Amino acid sequence: MVKEKRYCIGIDTGGTYTDAVIVDKTSGSVVATAKSPTTHYDIQKGIQSVVEQVLSVSGINPDDIGKTCVSTTLATNALVENKGADVALFVIGFNQRLEVPAVAARFVPGGHTIKGEEVEPLGINYIVDGVNELKNDVEAWAVCSSMAFINPVHELVAAKAVKLVSDAPVFCSHEASSRAGMKERASTACLNAQLLPVMQKFLSGISSALTACGITGEVLVVRGDATAMQMQEALTHAASTIASGPAATALFGAKATNTTDALILDVGGTTTDITLIKDGKPVVDTAGMSIGKWETHVEAVEMFTVGIGGDSLVQLTSGKPMQVGPARVTPICMARAVPAPETWIGQDKLSRCIAIAPDVSQERIEKSTILTCLTKHGSMTPHALLKHLSMAEITFEQELKKLLHKQDVIEIGFTPTDALHVLNKLEIGDRDMALSAANILATIEGCTVEELAERVVRQAERVIEETVLRHLSKREIGGNLAGYLANREENQLLQITVSLNVPMIGIGAAAPFLLTNVAKRLNTTITFPDHFAVGNALGSVFMAETTC
């Protein structure tokens, strides 16, 4: 008789941290939780670290883990930070300009009618010529044919033709969309193609980490519409994971509260993701989500995201108000081998310090003048780095952008996480380093270090509040009152009181410090359920609990 495996493990990989939680499926109780930095340069390393931690804390034998449930914001972050693959699109049977998320698009004769009948033969030579022309400039391919959701044969043949000439992955629109709308289907295909390498890297890291930890069995991945899919399906339907993290957020919020309607806010390192639950369930946008300016056919939880989190960069610019976000950096208190802040930090171009990432190969260092300089002279600001190098500023910026894209370098700066260390509200990093940086910035601002830290936190709160108001005012009344309402206390002639009609639920380690005052200003309540710091990892388990 085969022994029934009693436990499930949930894993959530975000832009800053990877969380893990082990749940006893019999009682539904949480056995152990753990957090570990997400290691973008070697995704397996961070996942394996957090799994090893949670197994060690729980004392559970890996053989007793029956199922692994995974959510991630890596797909979302890749699109937000423009770190997806460069994609070329073949448009079949639709000779009109399409604005799509691709670096190149080529028209190909072919396509079908609404009855599935061939309009004209597929122009295979157009595809082969296009691949030969573009294959050195792109990392993935997308194919979208007219009426492919009725008859996909031209897309299937085109994909075969691409694979004969190129080793890069290819994605067809009919794999993700069964509805009309050439632009939306083309955008959906391109976004899937963009994310194929990202998800291949992530899921390979998950698989290798679980194997290294001795965990076997089924692996489920959270879709953006709050349902589950097998890991192999996630490889070919990468765009379905775009809202995976927010979906897990909504699932946790729906399960962890007794209220039927609520606003769920997940404060991460890179972003704050906001979702809704109604009648105890996540609200899903069945019409297809918008990703930036791109309309798609990807079903996902209704969500809105703002580039504010614990690791948002604080920038002081002469003559302008303090800015927090949307750029994400490594907090000074969490950075390793960063120079003393008083030697580099300041306003304008001195807000960031560039450091070489761990484990960068010697071969890659020798190929980059920037990496070579950092290896020789140590970490420094972009301004100081440019002074060391004999290159034009535009060339420098382009190479630095590529290195950041490849995660060969990291950016370090003062963040809300540092501010919370200054205020003695967090103790996960080096407070002395945060204080050193705060002293310099406070001198520039003409205030105390505590006042500076409070200003940083208040600004982060204000951005989150404005995002909530912007979305809800647009959703409920179609207007854009957010900017006015967020600054309503500065109006001398008119007093406006804003109240949310639903409670808020906070998720993420920094949530209590950045959301409590937001809830007060919006005249609503906020709760932080048990295990809120690893809510998404737990939400991924809730997604699969019926099969776990």
Side-chain angles (χ1 to χ4, degrees):
M1 182 177 177
V2 179
K3 179 183 176 182
E4 183 180 4
K5 296 187 176 184
R6 180 176 175 180
Y7 301 99
C8 294
I9 184 168
I11 301 171
D12 176 72
T13 297
T16 305
Y17 284 99
T18 294
D19 301 338
V21 56
I22 292 178
V23 175
D24 184 331
K25 71 174 187 178
T26 304
S27 64
S29 61
V30 174
V31 179
T33 68
K35 296 178 81 73
S36 184
T38 297
T39 49
H40 293 276
Y41 58 91
D42 181 358
I43 205 72
Q44 177 188 341
K45 186 175 180 180
I47 296 169
Q48 185 172 330
S49 173
V50 79
V51 172
E52 288 173 346
Q53 286 181 51
V54 79
L55 287 172
S56 176
V57 171
S58 67
I60 289 172
N61 190 316
D63 288 337
D64 291 329
I65 303 292
K67 188 166 293 186
T68 301
C69 313
V70 179
S71 65
T72 182
T73 59
L74 291 183
T76 309
N77 292 349
L79 296 179
V80 170
E81 299 174 27
N82 194 29
K83 292 180 179 177
D86 288 335
V87 173
L89 169 70
F90 289 110
V91 182
I92 303 172
F94 189 83
N95 194 8
Q96 297 179 30
R97 185 179 181 275
L98 285 175
E99 188 179 5
V100 292
V103 297
R106 294 290 184 272
F107 167 75
V108 178
H112 292 81
T113 68
I114 197 169
K115 294 182 179 180
E117 299 168 347
E118 186 178 79
V119 175
E120 60 179 316
L122 178 65
I124 295 290
N125 57 310
Y126 286 75
I127 296 170
V128 174
D129 290 346
V131 173
N132 283 325
E133 177 189 348
L134 298 169
K135 64 182 180 181
N136 293 327
D137 300 316
V138 300
E139 302 163 274
W141 307 93
V143 179
C144 185
S145 179
S146 61
M147 296 299 162
F149 59 96
I150 301 293
N151 186 343
V153 67
H154 280 185
E155 287 194 350
L156 293 169
V157 174
K160 288 282 187 182
V162 171
K163 290 176 182 177
L164 289 174
V165 190
S166 170
D167 294 328
V170 57
F171 189 88
C172 299
S173 75
H174 75 270
E175 297 178 84
S177 175
S178 58
R179 289 183 283 154
M182 196 70 176
K183 181 178 179 181
E184 291 81 4
R185 288 195 297 113
S187 292
T188 303
C190 289
L191 290 171
N192 266 289
Q194 274 192 34
L195 295 172
L196 284 174
V198 175
M199 289 312 296
Q200 286 171 350
K201 179 181 176 182
F202 170 63
L203 294 173
S204 174
I206 284 282
S207 181
S208 298
L210 294 177
T211 299
C213 293
I215 296 175
T216 59
E218 186 178 22
V219 179
L220 295 176
V221 180
V222 178
R223 290 177 180 267
D225 64 358
T227 61
M229 60 180 162
Q230 300 291 328
M231 188 160 72
Q232 189 59 38
E233 185 181 353
L235 280 172
T236 55
H237 289 76
S240 294
T241 68
I242 289 173
S244 173
T249 296
L251 287 161
F252 174 78
K255 182 78 173 182
T257 180
N258 293 324
T259 185
T260 56
D261 299 348
L263 199 66
I264 319 297
L265 294 91
D266 174 24
V267 182
T270 307
T271 62
T272 294
D273 299 322
I274 306 169
T275 53
L276 284 164
I277 58 171
K278 194 168 182 63
D279 299 325
K281 298 178 181 178
V283 177
V284 176
D285 184 357
T286 57
M289 70 184 299
S290 297
I291 304 165
K293 66 179 181 179
W294 312 117
E295 300 292 331
T296 77
H297 284 170
V298 179
E299 293 188 9
V301 292
E302 185 177 306
M303 57 172 278
F304 41 111
T305 298
V306 59
I308 275 289
D311 299 348
S312 295
L313 175 65
V314 175
Q315 297 181 78
L316 303 183
T317 303
S318 180
K320 295 183 179 180
M322 171 192 292
Q323 180 179 343
V324 182
R328 183 188 77 85
V329 295
T330 298
I332 290 172
C333 64
M334 303 297 292
R336 291 179 290 180
V338 62
E342 59 266 24
T343 66
W344 60 269
I345 200 166
Q347 60 184 358
D348 299 320
K349 294 182 179 181
L350 304 180
S351 62
R352 298 171 297 147
C353 183
I354 307 298
I356 192 166
D359 301 335
V360 178
S361 68
Q362 186 61 36
E363 180 183 1
R364 289 165 80 169
I365 291 173
E366 291 173 355
K367 288 181 178 180
S368 167
T369 54
I370 290 179
L371 294 180
T372 300
C373 184
L374 290 172
T375 302
K376 182 177 180 180
H377 299 287
S379 306
M380 64 186 83
T381 65
H383 181 69
L385 188 53
L386 183 58
K387 279 189 172 182
H388 275 278
L389 302 170
S390 300
M391 64 170 65
E393 185 170 357
I394 188 169
T395 305
F396 168 77
E397 293 291 347
Q398 288 172 344
E399 182 175 345
L400 182 59
K401 184 178 179 180
K402 289 179 182 178
L403 293 173
L404 288 167
H405 178 83
K406 294 177 182 178
Q407 296 169 340
D408 286 338
V409 297
I410 58 174
E411 296 179 292
I412 301 161
F414 195 80
T415 67
T417 295
D418 293 300
L420 291 170
H421 277 77
V422 171
L423 297 171
N424 278 316
K425 293 183 177 180
L426 274 183
E427 297 179 356
I428 58 175
D430 188 334
R431 182 172 184 264
D432 289 340
M433 289 290 282
L435 273 171
S436 294
N439 267 308
I440 304 299
L441 299 179
T443 300
I444 294 172
E445 287 285 278
C447 62
T448 67
V449 291
E450 290 78 11
E451 288 171 341
L452 174 89
E454 290 286 0
R455 290 181 189 179
V456 170
V457 173
R458 282 201 303 270
Q459 180 60 21
E461 292 171 347
R462 184 63 62 89
V463 175
I464 294 171
E465 178 190 355
E466 183 175 345
T467 303
V468 171
L469 290 172
R470 187 182 304 280
H471 177 79
L472 293 184
S473 63
K474 182 178 179 181
R475 189 181 195 276
E476 296 298 306
I477 61 178
N480 186 12
L481 299 173
Y484 178 78
L485 294 175
N487 296 289
R488 60 194 178 277
E489 293 172 355
E490 298 174 13
N491 193 321
Q492 297 179 355
L493 301 178
L494 182 65
Q495 180 176 344
I496 295 178
T497 301
V498 179
S499 299
L500 296 189
N501 289 333
V502 292
M504 292 167 51
I505 297 171
I507 296 177
F513 310 114
L514 295 179
L515 297 181
T516 301
N517 286 332
V518 173
K520 288 179 181 177
R521 283 174 52 85
L522 295 176
N523 293 298
T524 189
T525 60
I526 186 165
T527 56
F528 304 97
D530 291 342
H531 311 296
F532 69 89
V534 291
N536 284 357
L538 193 50
S540 67
V541 174
F542 292 156
M543 174 272 301
E545 67 178 353
T546 56
T547 57
C548 192

